[in-house]
Amino acid sequence: EVQLVESGGGLVQPGGSLRLSCAASGFTFSYYWMHWVRQTPGRGLVWVSRISADGSSTGYVDSVKGRFTISRDSAKNTLYLQMNSLRADDTAIYYCARTTGGTIDYWGQGSLVTVSS
Amino acid sequence: EIVLTQSPDFQSVTPKEKVTITCRASQSVGSNLHWYQQKPDQSPTLLIKYASQSISGVPSRFSGSGSGTDFTLTISSLEAEDAAAYYCHQSSSLPFTFGPGTKVDIK
């Protein structure tokens, strides 16, 4: 069974940093492209970032470029999102997601990030 | 960035009624359009991929159609368990984007 379990969310002050982790199991992690998607009540689902199966290619939405970094450790079957210079509008539930053939087919349960003073 | 719009925003439907949700893209996405269902306090789940391809385990009452810029998700006969938000998503070009969602409520 495919499982994606996020961790690392919490409350952080504006300008602070946080690193999200996503532990993957039930599939061969190193074969799949992975994504981060976030969700807020006001702005719905927003794609944040993706990384290729071998980690050599990454992509970001403009609003996080230069502040967020996606990475992966295939030895640990774990996906990461390093978030720096956090702003109030980064407040959201962050989902880790797997793609198969270009389609996001599995989502984690989400990790809540709250940016507030 | 490709903008996806959905209609309607909200629909209140009687069980066994047919539901049609549309998704329009600001430019062609080919068939790279997917549909997700999200129930309250749950993560999204994949309903339809590549506009019209069915997903194993998803009830056959869910179907999709369209290509280019205009797409439709159809629930042929609504059941109570289908109360949820439905989102379209394009994977044609970065940044990937999602529609704003359609909330389906049961009367």
Side-chain angles (χ1 to χ4, degrees), chain A residues 2 9 15 18 25 28 49-50 62 66 86 89 109-110 113:
Chain A
V2 172
L18 215 52
S25 61
T28 305
S49 181
R50 76 163 184 193
D62 281 351
L86 283 161
D89 63 357
Q109 87 288 349
V113 172

Side-chain angles (χ1 to χ4, degrees), chain A residues 35 37 39 44-47 50 58-62 95 99-110, chain B residues 1 32 34 36 38 41-46 48-50 55 87-89 91 94-100:
Chain A
H35 298 245
V37 178
Q39 185 171 33
L45 291 164
V46 175
W47 174 82
R50 76 163 184 193
T58 60
Y60 301 91
V61 68
D62 281 351
Y95 293 102
T99 51
T100 298
T103 309
I104 293 178
D105 58 354
Y106 284 96
W107 302 64
Q109 87 288 349
Chain B
E1 172 177 318
N32 297 298
H34 321 287
Y36 296 87
Q38 187 178 31
D41 298 319
Q42 294 186 18
S43 306
T45 58
L46 181 62
I48 298 289
K49 66 180 181 180
Y50 293 108
I55 302 299
Y87 297 91
C88 57
H89 162 59
S91 62
L94 291 182
F96 296 157
T97 50
F98 291 85

Side-chain angles (χ1 to χ4, degrees), chain B residues 11-33:
Chain B
Q11 195 166 11
S12 186
V13 185
T14 303
K16 298 187 180 181
E17 193 174 338
K18 180 179 178 180
V19 175
T20 301
I21 298 169
T22 64
C23 177
R24 176 163 288 176
S26 60
Q27 62 190 78
S28 178
V29 298
S31 294
N32 297 298
L33 191 287

